């Protein structure tokens, strides 16, 4: 068992914060620079501020065991290509003083090495959930830009990212854990979700994985990973990017809000934005509910395997129960 697994979350984050502070000298920051934790889920993300140099940036320390160095390098290659070739505004990785983009961090408190990447700081604000139609149209447009690039991009040698197909999301591999271990799981839920998972699998098999439908996607393009500033739409956090159906991205856009009564309107807004940039067939549009439910069931698994995070704690058992309601409605129409 690793040292991380036998300490409280609070103690671990305190130690990780000290590791982050120690890493700043590798990037040439002054001794007065600070690293403040702003998010902890898959990884720990820090706002780095240097009052002497007047600079801000973002430090991401990866959790152990999720991505190896080759996969992280592949993520950074796609980010770079999206900025340069498709005009997508996203944070650029910043090299350390030794010229490398990926650092390995360790100290006496946390001796097991973990990867870290520094990114440029992007200005802007996360869209408000009070008025989502405009943001969802932006989401659709920027998703289409990324998908268009993905369809035409030649992958670099050694490129490797995870695969968010049924096997990787809901099946035996289950990258984020098994939905069977979701919070508040009951025998009735297990039976219902097994039927849901199998229906999703059959429909995705029929939908197919042709190059116009399946490729490299952001895989977590929800509002928390979108910044808006004037007419500019900026995308952050490609840590989950991998290979999946392009329409999986609309499922991720609705993460944690799939139950809202205005979801059909949000989907329409997303489609409207998407079609301003790239085509979307009527057949593809009709299958969007499958990708929403695929993501919803995957999040049941994520909550169960990440119960220590504040987000998972806040959603908990109620999210599993809400998923059952949505599953009943979906299966009534699609099974």
């Amino acid at each position: 068992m690793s040292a991380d697994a036998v300490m409280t979350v609070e103690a671990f984050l305190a130690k990780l914060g000290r590791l982050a502070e120690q890493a700043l000298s590798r990037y040439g920051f002054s001794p007065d620079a600070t690293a403040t934790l702003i998010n902890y889920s898959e990884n720990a993300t820090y706002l780095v501020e240097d009052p002497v140099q007047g600079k801000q940036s973002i430090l991401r320390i990866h959790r152990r065991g999720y991505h190896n160095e080759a996969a992280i390098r592949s993520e950074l290659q796609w980010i770079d290509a999206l900025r340069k070739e498709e005009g997508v505004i996203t944070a650029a990785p910043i090299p350390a003083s030794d010229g490398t983009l990926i650092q390995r961090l360790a100290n006496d408190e946390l001796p097991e090495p973990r990867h870290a990447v520094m990114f440029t700081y992007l200005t802007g604000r996360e869209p408000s959930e009070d008025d989502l139609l405009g943001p969802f149209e932006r989401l659709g447009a920027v998703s289409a830009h990324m998908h268009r690039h993905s369809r035409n991009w030649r992958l670099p040698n050694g490129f490797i990212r995870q695969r968010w197909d049924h096997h990787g999301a809901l099946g035996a591999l289950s990258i984020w854990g098994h939905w069977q271990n979701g919070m508040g799981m009951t025998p009735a839920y297990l039976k219902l979700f097994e039927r849901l998972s199998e229906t999703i699998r059959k429909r995705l098999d029929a939908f197919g994985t042709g190059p116009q439908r399946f490729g490299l996607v952001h895989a977590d393009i929800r509002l928390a990973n979108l910044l808006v500033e004037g007419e500019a739409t900026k995308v952050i956090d490609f840590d989950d990017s991998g290979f999946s159906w392009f329409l999986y991205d609309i499922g991720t856009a609705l993460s944690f809000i799939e139950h809202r009564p205005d979801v059909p309107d949000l989907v329409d807004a997303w489609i409207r934005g998407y079609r301003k940039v790239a085509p979307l067939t009527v057949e593809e549009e009709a299958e969007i509910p499958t990708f929403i439910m695929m993501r919803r069931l995957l999040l049941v698994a994520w909550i169960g395997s990440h119960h220590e995070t504040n987000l998972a704690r806040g959603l908990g058992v109620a999210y599993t129960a809400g998923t059952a309601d949505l599953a009943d409605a979906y299966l009534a129409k699609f099974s």
Side-chain angles (χ1 to χ4, degrees):
M1 181 178 292
S2 72
D4 295 359
V6 295
M7 68 179 82
T8 66
V9 174
E10 291 76 14
F12 169 68
L13 289 178
K15 293 181 178 183
L16 197 63
R18 289 189 285 271
L19 182 65
E21 295 274 1
Q22 292 167 12
L24 300 185
S25 62
R26 300 189 184 196
Y27 295 88
F29 288 103
S30 78
D32 293 331
T34 59
T36 304
L37 183 69
I38 55 176
N39 186 56
Y40 172 62
S41 56
E42 296 297 330
N43 309 307
T45 306
Y46 296 85
L47 172 63
V48 177
E49 298 178 290
D50 189 335
V52 175
Q53 300 179 7
K55 295 193 304 185
Q56 290 182 311
S57 59
I58 298 293
L59 176 66
R60 182 181 69 191
I61 300 181
H62 289 254
R63 73 179 173 98
R64 291 177 50 79
Y66 191 50
H67 290 309
N68 61 26
E69 188 168 335
I72 297 170
R73 184 177 300 107
S74 298
E75 173 202 352
L76 302 182
Q77 288 173 320
W78 192 38
I79 289 173
D80 189 53
L82 282 171
R83 288 197 329 273
K84 293 178 179 178
E85 300 169 11
E86 189 65 31
V88 175
I89 305 173
T90 188
I94 300 172
S97 299
D98 64 4
T100 61
L101 294 176
I102 304 170
Q103 292 287 299
R104 287 168 59 87
L105 306 182
N107 61 14
D108 291 341
E109 289 186 301
L110 296 173
E112 297 175 315
R114 59 198 74 230
H115 296 106
V117 179
M118 190 77 73
F119 291 94
T120 55
Y121 177 82
L122 294 181
T123 57
R125 59 175 179 81
E126 180 183 332
S128 168
E129 290 194 8
D130 295 332
D131 182 15
L132 292 183
L133 290 180
F136 261 76
E137 189 166 335
R138 287 175 179 248
L139 271 173
V142 75
S143 296
H145 277 290
M146 291 191 290
H147 298 168
R148 183 171 68 184
H149 182 269
S150 175
R151 290 184 180 103
N152 297 309
W153 191 45
R154 183 174 180 178
L155 299 179
N157 291 334
F159 190 94
I160 180 172
R161 294 297 294 177
Q162 55 207 359
R163 188 177 176 93
W164 296 104
D165 55 11
H166 186 273
H167 177 67
L170 305 179
L173 180 58
S174 297
I175 296 168
W176 278 354
H178 298 276
W179 54 261
Q180 291 89 340
N181 298 325
M183 287 188 177
M185 195 60 64
T186 67
Y189 289 162
L190 286 171
K191 184 176 180 180
L192 175 63
F193 293 160
E194 181 61 44
R195 183 179 163 213
L196 173 63
S197 177
E198 182 62 12
T199 299
I200 291 172
R201 185 193 64 78
K202 289 178 179 178
R203 294 194 68 87
L204 293 179
D205 284 348
F207 191 70
T209 56
Q212 293 304 306
R213 292 184 172 179
F214 194 100
L216 188 58
V217 300
H218 183 282
D220 196 25
I221 189 165
R222 53 197 174 94
L223 295 176
N225 291 329
L226 191 74
L227 297 172
V228 295
E229 187 174 38
E231 296 301 311
T233 304
K234 308 174 186 182
V235 184
I236 60 174
D237 193 1
F238 284 71
D239 183 54
D240 293 318
S241 61
F243 297 96
S244 188
W245 292 272
F246 294 117
L247 285 180
Y248 177 60
D249 270 344
I250 189 172
T252 72
L254 290 162
S255 294
F256 309 118
I257 60 171
E258 305 94 339
H259 60 283
R260 286 175 53 134
D262 61 346
V263 162
D265 294 331
L266 299 180
V267 171
D268 287 345
W270 189 94
I271 292 170
R272 187 162 57 249
Y274 196 97
R275 284 178 170 152
K276 290 179 179 178
V277 178
L280 185 71
T281 68
V282 173
E283 181 186 6
E284 290 165 340
E285 179 181 344
E287 205 60 53
I288 285 175
T290 296
F291 295 98
I292 296 174
M293 289 309 303
M294 173 186 172
R295 175 67 169 190
R296 177 82 186 203
L297 189 55
L298 175 58
L299 289 175
V300 170
W302 185 89
I303 291 169
S305 62
H306 292 71
H307 54 83
E308 76 283 1
T309 66
N310 290 333
L311 179 57
R313 290 173 184 171
L315 293 163
V317 174
Y319 195 80
T320 303
T323 303
D325 293 337
L326 292 172
D328 280 331
Y330 172 83
L331 290 170
K333 184 175 181 181
F334 289 96
S335 63

